[in-house]
């Protein structure tokens, strides 16, 4: 499995931006699909965005579409989640996840992913 470490979380005002990073080690990151999930206070974990192994295909939850952008740099073994126009309801712990895959199929369910990071807190104040 690949080891994942998230960073970039913090406190931001509504309307602001943050960029989360997911640093991967231990395996060839370029052979993995990756995704971001989040879990808000008192809520279940939910899908945010996913990207295929090459970065050529992406999918987003309706709640973040048009505001968030998922990307990756396989040379740097890092995935990213650019979050713009943040809202208080985006407050959550954000997790990156990865699964060995070189297909273009995009997985949106947490149980389909093998490796998870420890999470990074994002707090959006109103």
């Amino acid at each position: 499995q690949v080891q994942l470490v998230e960073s970039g979380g913090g406190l931001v005002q509504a309307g602001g931006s943050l960029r989360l990073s997911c640093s991967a080690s231990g395996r060839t990151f370029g052979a993995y699909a990756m995704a971001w999930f989040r879990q808000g206070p008192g809520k279940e974990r939910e899908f945010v965005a996913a990207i295929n192994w090459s970065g050529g295909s992406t999918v987003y939850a309706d709640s973040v579409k048009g505001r968030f952008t998922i990307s990756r740099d396989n040379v740097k073994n890092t995935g990213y989640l650019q979050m713009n126009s943040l809202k208080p309801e985006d407050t959550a712990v954000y997790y990156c996840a990865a699964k060995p895959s070189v297909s273009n199929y995009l997985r949106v369910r947490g149980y389909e992913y093998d490796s998870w990071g420890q999470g990074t807190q994002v707090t959006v104040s109103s």
Side-chain angles (χ1 to χ4, degrees):
Q1 291 184 343
V2 67
Q3 287 76 51
L4 304 173
V5 178
E6 302 95 337
S7 62
L11 174 64
V12 64
Q13 289 187 333
S17 298
L18 282 175
R19 187 176 81 157
L20 305 184
S21 298
C22 176
S23 178
S25 62
R27 290 292 186 267
T28 304
F29 183 60
Y32 282 71
M34 68 161 289
W36 290 91
F37 291 80
R38 67 186 182 185
Q39 186 166 16
K43 299 180 181 179
E44 294 187 351
R45 183 180 63 193
E46 64 174 351
F47 168 76
V48 175
I51 189 168
N52 76 326
W53 65 277
S54 68
S57 297
T58 59
V59 64
Y60 297 89
D62 288 344
S63 59
V64 306
K65 200 173 296 181
R67 300 188 298 122
F68 291 11
T69 302
I70 188 172
S71 62
R72 65 189 299 159
D73 185 333
N74 289 342
V75 173
K76 295 182 178 180
N77 288 342
T78 303
Y80 304 97
L81 184 68
Q82 177 67 43
M83 306 185 295
N84 298 329
S85 302
L86 282 161
K87 304 175 181 179
E89 50 264 45
D90 294 318
T91 294
V93 177
Y94 283 71
Y95 300 90
C96 65
K99 176 181 177 62
S101 173
V102 292
S103 78
N104 291 328
Y105 176 69
L106 295 169
R107 294 167 173 81
V108 301
R109 298 175 179 82
Y111 67 80
E112 297 180 285
Y113 288 86
D114 305 312
S115 300
W116 291 82
Q118 83 290 348
T120 185
Q121 176 71 46
V122 172
T123 303
V124 184
S125 63
S126 58

